[in-house]
Amino acid sequence: MEGQDLVTLANILDGHRPEKTSIIVPDGPTVSYGEFGDEVERVAGILAAYGLERGRAVSIVLGNGLDFMVIFLAVTRSGAIAAPLNAAYTAEEFKFYMEDADAQLVIVSKEADAAVTAAANLSVPCAVAELDGRGRVTITKNGSELTKGVDVIPPSPNDIALFLHTSGTTSRPKGVPLTHANLMASLGNIVSTYELSEEDTALVVMPLFHVHGLIGVSLSSLRSGGAIVVPSRFSASTFWQDQSDTGATWYSAVPTIHQILLMRADDDGAPEKSFRFIRSCSAALAPSVFSDLENRFNSPVLEAYGMTEASHQMSSNLLPPGSRTPGTVGVGTGVEIGIMSDTGSLLDTGERGEVVIKGANVTPGYHNNPEANSEAF
């Protein structure tokens, strides 16, 4: 795709050496870029042949793993919208999120009973995705495997690729559509901030249904040609073994996970030096934890600031020799950030106000919520 290089998630795997490792699943398959790309293409063709409508959402209820990554990219490759959901939701919560996204299909793992119940209540068809013995994704509907495939027309940069909800701390959760262009801009910003390359291997400890694990770590690594290590869930007891087995060069997590790793570091035989850098995001990192992390693991700790509406990352502290200040979230990464008063004027340094952001990674607007859009944009 010369001249159109890396404009959508459909070509995020392009341009990397086919034999280069893309995904490592501890106690599971290791997949090259060539194999991963072929599998995404095959599954996208199956979904398109099934009748997936372009521009409509598919709810994805799968744990962390190769099957999630293949299904996620295949849905977006087919021109549909990926809407990943937390497998721990109740049937009522699933119902709200599926209905709000107007899901046309729900793709679940075998044990997703609450999601299956919610889909049945909404009369939305349900399919089961799992890995077979060869590490290929099978999709089964009503007990029979979907195998027929068609050629797929790639999506356009302004098509919606991902549909998420804000956490809803102030009101009911708001739907956030993110375009392929939003995501590719954000991934470019993250790759550039941390100088990610094909030499890097990221250990994925955050859930893939959330922007931190999905965009902040997994998709940004794939964009750079690096590898991701995807255990089914974060486990402090296997973390250092996974790091040692794969030579992982960085990880990103919430402060709670950093604290757990610190607390157990000596008992778990954590090395004195391992990562090129450690990233922290999604909640404020206490300066004392920042210092303890740097001292124990001998890696620069880079605190970042993100939000769903900005396709995750907005600002970050910088790799050495750049500045990194405990208790701060650094500088804007490929975006314009300011602090604004209630009346909409930008404030001077040291004044208190609301964080505002402008950039190619920002959502075009909340889903079906003109009131929120008039307040926020």
Side-chain angles (χ1 to χ4, degrees), residues 225-347:
I228 53 175
V229 183
V230 190
S232 57
R233 61 180 60 80
F234 167 67
S235 163
S237 57
T238 57
F239 180 88
W240 292 108
Q241 189 61 55
D242 289 343
Q243 191 278 325
S244 156
D245 290 348
T246 60
T249 56
W250 69 287
Y251 79 98
S252 181
V254 289
T256 323
I257 287 178
H258 296 307
Q259 285 168 298
I260 291 168
L261 291 170
L262 266 176
M263 206 165 55
R264 299 177 45 133
D266 294 339
D267 290 344
D268 288 345
E272 292 304 317
K273 171 105 183 80
S274 50
F275 295 107
R276 181 164 75 82
F277 67 95
I278 292 170
R279 182 177 181 270
S280 189
C281 197
S282 300
L285 184 71
S288 60
V289 179
F290 172 98
S291 309
D292 291 347
L293 277 171
E294 291 216 336
N295 293 335
R296 176 59 184 85
F297 300 137
N298 286 297
S299 302
V301 171
L302 307 177
E303 190 169 3
Y305 176 39
M307 65 192 239
T308 306
E309 291 90 334
S311 311
H312 186 49
Q313 186 168 293
M314 301 191 289
S315 72
S316 178
N317 281 277
L318 303 174
L319 287 164
S323 67
R324 56 185 199 285
T325 309
T328 75
V329 291
V331 296
T333 51
V335 299
E336 292 177 67
I337 293 187
I339 308 293
M340 202 175 257
S341 70
D342 289 345
T343 57
S345 53
L346 289 168
L347 298 171

Side-chain angles (χ1 to χ4, degrees), residues 4 9 27 34 36 96 129 152 238 261:
Q4 262 195 298
L9 289 180
D27 302 322
F36 188 30
F96 166 79
V152 184
T238 57
L261 291 170

Side-chain angles (χ1 to χ4, degrees), residues 94-105:
F94 276 125
K95 196 175 165 191
F96 166 79
Y97 290 116
M98 290 171 185
E99 196 164 29
D100 198 51
D102 185 26
Q104 58 176 317
L105 175 68

Side-chain angles (χ1 to χ4, degrees), residues 62-110:
L62 297 168
N64 280 21
L66 177 60
D67 49 351
F68 180 99
M69 293 304 300
V70 169
I71 292 289
F72 174 83
L73 285 176
V75 167
T76 62
R77 170 75 183 86
S78 74
I81 301 167
L85 295 171
N86 183 349
Y89 284 150
T90 62
E92 273 309 302
E93 287 170 320
F94 276 125
K95 196 175 165 191
F96 166 79
Y97 290 116
M98 290 171 185
E99 196 164 29
D100 198 51
D102 185 26
Q104 58 176 317
L105 175 68
V106 179
I107 299 179
V108 298
S109 61
K110 266 187 161 165

